[in-house]
Amino acid sequence: MYILGMESSCDETSAAVVEMEEGIRKIRSNIVASQIDVHRLYGGVVPEIASRAHIEAISRITYEALETAGITVDQLGAVAVTAFPGLIGALLIGVNFAKSMAYSRGIPLVAVNHIHGHVAAAYLSHPNLKPPFLALVVSGGHTSIYRVESETEFVEIGATRDDAAGEAFDKVGRVIGLPYPGGAALDQLAYEGDPKAIVLPSPALAGDTLDFSFSGIKTATLNYLNSMEQKGMPVNRADVAAAYTDRIVKAITQKAGQALEQSGMKTLVLAGGVAANSHLRASLEQLCRTRGVCLAMPERVLCGDNGAMIAAAGYFQYRIGHFADTALNASASDDGI
Ligand code: KG4
Ligand code: ZN
C-alpha cells in the first residue's frame, strides 16, 4: 500500500510517499523543505516563523511528493501525520492539512509520534529489521533509550534529564561561531582538533542508571571559552569541537553498552538527527562489533526529520487498526494526544 507521510513538528516541512507491505519497504518520494536559512538569522528556531513557513510550503510539497512518486491521491491507502511532540503551532499545520486531505478523499488517517517516526526510519534502511530491539534516539529535542517491544510498543529505559545532545551540539556550535544548526559543522571540525586538549565532564550519569545530563558539559565548555577570552588567550575551535564531541560520543556509547548489557538485547537501532554524526556512528559500530550486536542505523538522509519515516511509522499504526479522525489534535508533549 502507498502511505503519505507528513512531518511539520519543527523546522522542516516534509511529505513523502512510501510503499509498505509485509517484506516491502520502498520510498517513492521524500520531499523536505528546510527552513534552516530563515531560522539561521536568529540562531535558533523561531516558532511563529516556523508555523508560517509550514503553511507556505505544505500544499506544494505534498503535491510534489505525489507527483514524484507517480501516483494520485486516490491511490493512497493512508495519510500519516506527526501529531506529537514538537512545536504546537508547527504541528497543527501538518495535522490540519492531513485531516482535511484524509476527510475530503475518504482516506484512513493515522497519527504518528515523531520519536517513533525516527526509529521507523531504520525499517526503511534495514528491511529485515524486526523488534524486539533497543533504540537510541538522539535528536535536537531528545536523547532517550527505548526497549522496542513491537513496531508500536516502546518502553523508555533511559533519557536526558535536561538538554538533548543535538541541542548541546547546536549551543556550543553557535558560541564558537559555526552556522546554525552547529551539529553537522561541529562533526567535521572535530576531525581537526585534539580531543584531549580540554578537560570536560561526561554527560553519562554515574551508576546503573541509563540517564544522561548534558547541561554540565555545556556549561563547562562555555566557562572554558569565557575564561580564555578574559585571559586574552586564543581559542582553538577545533580542539573544543574534538573534546566536546569525544565526551558526548563516549557518554552515549557507554550508556548504549550498559543498556545492551542490562537488557540482553542483540540489536541496537540508532536514530534521530544526531544519528548522522560520523563519530557517533563509528563509535557505536565499534561497540556493537566487539559485543556481537547487530547495529541498524538509517542512512544519513533519513536521520533528520522527514516524511518517509512518518509514513513508515504510520504503516505500523495502520496495521494494528489504530486510526485517527477529524477530532485529531496535536500536542507539544512527549506524552501524546
Ligand atoms: O531529528 P532532528 O532533525 O530534529 C529533531 O527532532 O530535533 O535533529 C536535529 C538535530 C540538530 O540539533 C542538528 O544539529 C543535529 O540534529 N545534527 C547533528 C548532525 N547532523 C544533524 N548533530 C551532530 N552531528 C551531525 N552530523
Ligand atoms: Zn526529529
Side-chain angles (χ1 to χ4, degrees):
M1 66 182 284
Y2 293 113
I3 306 148
L4 175 71
M6 311 206 58
E7 159 61 34
S8 71
S9 66
C10 191
D11 58 352
E12 257 105 30
T13 324
S14 182
V17 175
V18 165
E19 189 183 351
M20 277 179 86
E21 309 270 351
E22 198 56 49
I24 301 178
R25 280 124 172 64
K26 285 189 187 143
I27 300 174
R28 296 290 180 188
S29 62
N30 194 12
I31 314 294
V32 182
S34 174
Q35 306 172 6
I36 282 176
D37 290 345
V38 184
H39 298 296
R40 187 169 284 152
L41 303 171
Y42 307 93
V45 178
V46 183
E48 182 58 26
I49 294 177
S51 307
R52 284 164 190 253
H54 286 307
I55 291 175
E56 283 169 17
I58 200 155
S59 181
R60 173 176 53 83
I61 59 132
T62 302
Y63 285 99
E64 199 178 324
L66 290 167
E67 204 173 295
T68 308
I71 66 158
T72 62
V73 179
D74 297 323
Q75 285 174 269
L76 289 172
V79 175
V81 63
T82 303
F84 65 96
L87 301 170
I88 189 67
L91 286 164
L92 281 168
I93 310 303
V95 164
N96 283 312
F97 189 89
K99 277 202 294 192
S100 325
M101 193 163 164
Y103 178 69
S104 63
R105 297 302 189 108
I107 306 165
L109 176 70
V110 284
V112 170
N113 174 336
H114 181 80
I115 304 304
H116 296 189
H118 274 301
V119 173
Y123 296 114
L124 295 171
S125 298
H126 302 271
N128 296 323
L129 177 67
K130 282 210 168 29
F133 54 74
L134 278 188
L136 187 52
V137 180
V138 197
S139 73
H142 292 82
T143 304
S144 303
I145 306 175
Y146 298 92
R147 229 181 35 236
V148 180
E149 315 272 1
S150 76
E151 286 88 351
T152 53
E153 292 167 296
F154 289 59
V155 180
E156 190 181 81
I157 57 171
T160 179
R161 296 191 185 172
D162 39 57
D163 305 327
E167 198 179 349
F169 275 129
D170 293 346
K171 172 78 185 182
V172 164
R174 185 166 72 201
V175 175
I176 64 171
L178 299 176
Y180 172 83
L186 212 70
D187 184 351
Q188 289 313 304
L189 189 60
Y191 284 104
E192 295 163 32
D194 173 8
K196 296 200 179 72
I198 305 161
V199 178
L200 294 172
S202 169
L205 294 180
D208 286 341
T209 172
L210 299 174
D211 287 353
F212 304 90
S213 167
F214 292 91
S215 63
I217 188 171
K218 210 175 72 175
T219 307
T221 307
L222 299 182
N223 286 345
Y224 166 80
L225 293 168
N226 285 338
S227 81
M228 292 295 276
E229 194 184 343
Q230 276 164 8
K231 289 183 218 156
M233 289 166 76
V235 168
N236 184 327
R237 296 192 321 159
D239 284 349
V240 175
Y244 195 66
T245 302
D246 176 73
R247 241 57 98 228
I248 290 179
V249 166
K250 281 199 175 121
I252 296 174
T253 308
Q254 179 192 327
K255 289 298 169 194
Q258 280 179 235
L260 287 168
E261 207 156 292
Q262 288 176 20
S263 67
M265 293 274 192
K266 283 290 170 202
T267 303
L268 176 68
V269 166
L270 172 67
V274 182
N277 186 276
S278 60
H279 307 271
L280 182 58
R281 291 173 88 91
S283 178
L284 289 176
E285 266 165 7
Q286 164 81 12
L287 173 86
C288 291
R289 203 177 311 120
T290 52
R291 286 172 184 249
V293 166
C294 167
L295 176 64
M297 300 186 283
E299 295 153 59
R300 281 190 183 191
V301 286
L302 294 179
C303 289
D305 294 347
N306 67 87
M309 70 184 203
I310 302 304
Y315 167 73
F316 296 116
Q317 293 291 327
Y318 178 94
R319 234 179 36 177
I320 60 164
H322 199 179
F323 299 111
D325 57 26
T326 48
L328 176 65
N329 202 351
S331 167
S333 134
D334 284 8
D335 301 329
I337 35 183

